[in-house]
Amino acid sequence: MKTATVCSLSTAAETPITYNNLCKPEPLAAPLTNLKLSNRKCAAGRYSLKVVNAISDAGDRSPATLPPVRTVNGVSTPIASKVKRHTISVFVGDESGIINRIAGVFARRGYNIESLAVGLNKDKALFTIVVSGTEKVLQQVVEQLNKLVNVLKVEDLSRDPQVERELVLVKLNVDPSTKAEIMWLVDIFRGNVIDASDHSLTIEVTGDPGKIAAVQRNLAKFGIKELTRTGKIALRREKLGETAPFWNFSAASYPDLEAPRPTAAVSSIPQIVDENPSTISGGDVYPVDSYDSYIMDQVLDANWGVLYDEDATGRQSHTLNILVNNAPGVLNMVTGVISRRGYNVQSLAVGPAEMEGLSRITTVIAGTDESISKLVQQFYKLVDVHEVKDITYLPFSERELMLIKVAANAAARRDVLDIATIFRAKPVDVSDHTITLELTGDFNKLFALQTLLESYGICEVARTGRVALVRESGVDSTYLRGFSLPL
């Protein structure tokens, strides 16, 4: 039996699968031979046929496979089983072991996390995770993530228009015969040279994943010594008009955005007031939402910042570069070593390395020299770990990437763009009530811009963790800050 006149079908588990509302003939996912049908009137002159038991014609009397469904507004539609790349945004409160538990959800289902970026904002963090899989199983993963304690929001951004960015640092072999061509490619891809020595160049490039892949492909012929990527971060492109997610938030800061409405209609519209801290005012990541009830002992970032100098107990931030196999469950094992020993993860970035089949994890962990040394020894006990470097006391180039969406009307937009120009931030999306900026730099630079823009109203913030490569030139830029250059 290859076709049937159906209004809804279901498997033996009674999961409805609606093909259309007119009971038209539709092909089934598999030939069915033995059907038990129950008739129920669907409309005048039409009947609803529901499959309550179906056996395929394979000869082994196995149940027939019917496509899974997604129900939206009461209408069920089949879900395609095609493997796609998904961008999952997970907004969490600060809690011990949260990174390990989120990575474990993917590892237990055999998913390999292609990239992971963790951006920290005081007592909360935004995970941006890129995985490939079928829509059905990803839907189950999202449901499992929502069940975790202290997970505030989980979204699959793949279906919506989005601004997506990634940052890569590439260290290349260079000689006089190839330097001119390398600089030409850097200019084409709008990259920046952040370190140079007699035999190497370190380049910084930002863009969407396609651009990053093109950069890596074009520079491979020169010989890539080291490569580190932040992983992708993404924010939805803001819609225009009052249906946009952040319209109410922007209108509260800029009353001129409010469209004129009839007097009778105004009284019936609930006004959003921020006097009650437990009221969610439509925000997504940063200070628009208040999740005070989720504040616990801060573990993701105990200091919300980077301890460049030692404190009274000898603790400071250590930057670790970990080279691992690109396989499911590896990130879960690495974060498990960190969480079981109660270390504070201040930053985490995971992305592909310079060699196929390997990934590079860059993490910043606060601790004493002795405790970090013991942690490095524990990492080396893992089978999938190839190399661990503590580059804290070496001169290194560090970069982070941030996307920040700011509320702004037409008058404030010019001021926001002037501030962005000072920090060399680039506008990547604009609507009638918001503007989205992209910024790269160290932690202090990102924090300074974020602080300046708070007075305008920050809608969303997506940040990567720190990525770092050792400077071949030997110049330690941290010691040059605060010193005036001779005239």
Side-chain angles (χ1 to χ4, degrees), residues 143-337:
E143 292 174 358
Q144 292 298 319
L145 289 173
N146 276 312
K147 294 178 182 178
L148 296 179
V149 176
N150 228 19
V151 169
L152 309 178
K153 185 185 295 185
V154 182
E155 293 181 307
D156 187 353
L157 302 179
S158 309
R159 303 187 188 95
D160 301 317
Q162 57 183 282
V163 179
E164 54 181 4
R165 288 294 185 272
E166 189 173 354
L167 183 147
V168 61
L169 298 182
V170 186
K171 187 185 294 183
L172 293 169
N173 294 315
V174 64
D175 56 60
S177 62
T178 60
K179 188 172 184 178
E181 185 179 357
I182 292 175
M183 296 304 296
W184 175 65
L185 287 172
V186 171
D187 186 59
I188 289 176
F189 287 105
R190 300 179 184 176
N192 297 309
V193 175
I194 59 177
D195 185 62
S197 68
D198 294 338
H199 305 290
S200 70
L201 281 177
T202 303
I203 301 166
E204 164 207 330
V205 183
T206 60
D208 58 63
K211 177 182 176 181
I212 301 301
V215 170
Q216 189 171 347
R217 185 170 59 250
N218 281 274
L219 296 179
K221 63 181 180 181
F222 302 106
I224 297 177
K225 298 178 67 175
E226 283 186 89
L227 180 145
T228 179
R229 294 168 63 171
T230 60
K232 185 173 76 172
I233 57 174
L235 291 180
R236 281 195 180 90
R237 293 189 180 273
E238 190 70 7
K239 299 178 182 178
L240 299 177
E242 297 182 24
T243 60
F246 293 103
W247 174 267
N248 290 332
F249 175 69
S250 300
S253 302
Y254 305 98
D256 60 301
L257 287 174
E258 290 283 1
R261 299 187 179 114
T263 305
V266 172
S267 60
S268 62
I269 296 176
Q271 299 297 319
I272 296 176
V273 181
D274 291 330
E275 294 177 358
N276 182 3
S278 63
T279 301
I280 297 177
S281 57
D284 198 15
V285 174
Y286 190 55
V288 187
D289 285 352
S290 179
Y291 293 101
D292 294 338
S293 60
Y294 287 94
I295 296 177
M296 301 175 65
D297 294 335
Q298 294 188 1
V299 175
L300 285 173
D301 186 12
N303 306 284
W304 198 60
V306 178
L307 296 173
Y308 287 106
D309 300 317
E310 291 185 2
D311 60 12
T313 62
R315 295 173 67 255
Q316 73 170 36
S317 295
H318 288 253
T319 303
L320 303 181
N321 257 335
I322 308 172
L323 195 64
V324 300
N325 288 330
N326 186 12
V330 175
L331 177 62
N332 187 37
M333 289 188 293
V334 172
T335 56
V337 171

Side-chain angles (χ1 to χ4, degrees), residues 400-455:
E400 293 185 36
L401 173 65
M402 177 173 71
L403 293 176
I404 181 168
K405 185 182 293 183
V406 185
N409 60 0
R413 192 175 300 133
R414 182 69 265 167
D415 295 336
V416 173
L417 289 174
D418 286 343
I419 294 174
T421 302
I422 296 172
F423 286 86
R424 300 179 185 175
K426 295 182 286 187
V428 293
D429 186 54
V430 66
S431 70
D432 53 354
H433 59 284
T434 63
I435 183 168
T436 304
L437 304 175
E438 169 200 325
L439 177 66
T440 59
D442 59 18
F443 171 83
N444 289 329
K445 180 180 178 181
L446 271 59
F447 178 66
L449 177 63
Q450 191 170 320
T451 303
L452 280 175
L453 294 178
E454 281 184 352
S455 59

